[in-house]
């Protein structure tokens, strides 16, 4: 178990036991780093995992607010398939089917804050749960992170964790668009469904803590393979409904 997962496990147990009741503040990142003798980035990733499970919410100053004592899958963790799978008791795996550098498209330049035609890394990856194909990821990485992605094992379980461990990259923020699409020929073949079958599509852009775009992706889930839940409040509601585009 990675160090940040150990810290998250300890904090999670404290929340479940009532050590941090709903509405209470977690200690600041600095206080947690001192308590666990860990780097701030490690603590930040641990707290982000709790936020992804719906246990803690938005910051109040330098602290997070406890939202509940039951784990759930929230939109905050959509960028980390492997972390979500582990939290739900599944065995996650993935295989890179293709990886190539190419000039970015105009829309990718906007989403990744690149110059027109700047080089990106285009990766097609098939994800599985307990051996069953459930997700096709088409991810475009900004050129500055491309070398680190290319050094990863094509079958690594968690790109998010491997990039953190290899270059210290923390995926801090994400924007997600959710809709439904019909499976095309390639998606149908990879996911083992009929062409035209409904797929849940998640389009996302993730950035660093400083707001630097890392990747944009078009992820397509086989129907019935995942369920997402939402926690919101009158103070903070990350979910926005918008017309299709």
């Amino acid at each position: 178990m990675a160090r940040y997962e150990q810290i998250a496990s300890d904090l999670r147990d404290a929340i479940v036991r009532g050590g941090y009741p709903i509405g209470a503040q977690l200690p600041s990142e600095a206080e947690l780093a001192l308590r666990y003798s860990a780097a701030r980035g490690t603590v930040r990733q641990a707290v982000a995992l709790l936020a992804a499970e719906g246990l803690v919410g938005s910051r109040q100053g330098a602290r997070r607010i406890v939202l509940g004592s039951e784990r759930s899958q929230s939109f905050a963790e959509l960028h980390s398939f492997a972390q979500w799978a582990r939290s739900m008791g599944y065995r996650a795996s993935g295989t890179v089917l293709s990886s190539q550098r190419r000039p970015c498209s105009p829309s990718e330049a906007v989403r990744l804050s690149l110059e027109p035609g700047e080089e990106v890394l285009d990766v097609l990856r098939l994800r599985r749960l307990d051996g069953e194909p459930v997700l096709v990821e088409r991810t475009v990485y900004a050129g500055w992170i491309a070398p680190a992605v290319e050094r990863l094992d094509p079958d690594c379980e968690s790109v998010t964790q491997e990039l953190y461990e290899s270059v210290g990259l923390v995926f801090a923020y994400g924007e997600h668009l959710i809709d439904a699409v019909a499976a095309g020929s390639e998606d149908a073949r990879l996911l083992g469904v009929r062409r035209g079958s409904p797929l849940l599509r998640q389009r996302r852009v993730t950035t660093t803590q400083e707001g630097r775009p890392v990747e944009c992706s078009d992820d397509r889930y086989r129907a019935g393979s995942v369920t997402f839940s939402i926690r919101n409040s009158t103070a903070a509601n990350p979910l926005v409904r918008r017309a299709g585009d």
Side-chain angles (χ1 to χ4, degrees):
M1 181 183 293
R3 179 61 173 151
Y4 79 92
E5 291 179 311
Q6 294 172 347
I7 296 172
S9 178
D10 187 68
L11 292 172
R12 185 187 300 113
D13 289 344
I15 292 172
V16 171
R17 291 195 309 268
Y20 298 107
I22 295 174
Q25 295 180 334
L26 285 185
S28 68
E29 289 180 358
E31 292 169 332
L32 291 173
L34 182 63
R35 176 189 300 180
Y36 292 104
S37 300
R40 289 278 291 270
T42 301
V43 168
R44 187 173 300 121
Q45 195 171 23
V47 175
L49 184 55
L50 298 180
E53 295 172 1
L55 294 179
V56 301
S58 59
R59 295 176 184 274
Q60 182 171 321
R63 304 168 187 267
R64 295 271 189 166
I65 305 299
V66 176
L67 297 180
S69 58
E70 295 182 359
R71 300 167 68 181
S72 65
Q73 165 60 13
S74 79
F75 280 87
E77 201 188 1
L78 287 175
H79 65 267
S80 182
F81 176 81
Q83 289 178 350
W84 168 78
R86 285 197 298 269
S87 75
M88 300 298 289
Y90 294 111
R91 177 176 56 84
S93 59
T95 302
V96 172
L97 304 179
S98 66
S99 177
Q100 62 177 344
R101 296 204 187 199
R102 60 167 174 79
C104 67
S105 69
S107 63
E108 291 163 350
V110 172
R111 298 177 77 189
L112 295 175
S113 299
L114 303 175
E115 294 297 324
E118 192 171 335
E119 187 176 73
V120 294
L121 179 65
D122 190 341
V123 178
L124 173 65
R125 185 181 288 109
L126 179 65
R127 298 281 199 165
R128 299 179 177 87
L129 289 178
D130 293 341
E132 292 294 322
V134 298
L135 168 62
V136 176
E137 290 180 339
R138 294 179 175 87
T139 307
V140 177
Y141 295 93
W144 64 271
I145 195 62
V149 176
E150 290 175 318
R151 288 194 295 268
L152 299 180
D153 185 331
D155 297 325
C156 76
E157 178 182 312
S158 173
V159 174
T160 301
Q161 182 173 330
E162 291 295 328
L163 287 177
Y164 171 73
E165 294 179 353
S166 62
V167 297
L169 176 66
V170 176
F171 290 87
Y173 301 103
E175 178 182 352
H176 310 280
L177 299 176
I178 309 294
D179 61 4
V181 296
S185 299
E186 184 174 48
D187 291 337
R189 176 177 57 83
L190 293 174
L191 294 173
V193 298
R194 291 178 180 273
R195 182 177 179 181
S197 297
L199 302 178
L200 178 65
R201 179 173 66 170
Q202 174 211 351
R203 288 170 289 172
R204 58 186 166 87
V205 177
T206 52
T207 71
T208 66
Q209 186 76 28
E210 298 74 30
R212 188 181 189 183
V214 179
E215 62 175 12
C216 60
S217 191
D218 182 308
D219 302 341
R220 304 189 181 198
Y221 293 84
R222 195 182 70 207
S225 62
V226 298
T227 300
F228 299 118
S229 66
I230 305 161
R231 289 181 186 269
N232 55 25
S233 69
T234 56
N237 183 359
L239 184 66
V240 177
R241 180 178 296 165
R242 54 186 288 180
D245 54 15

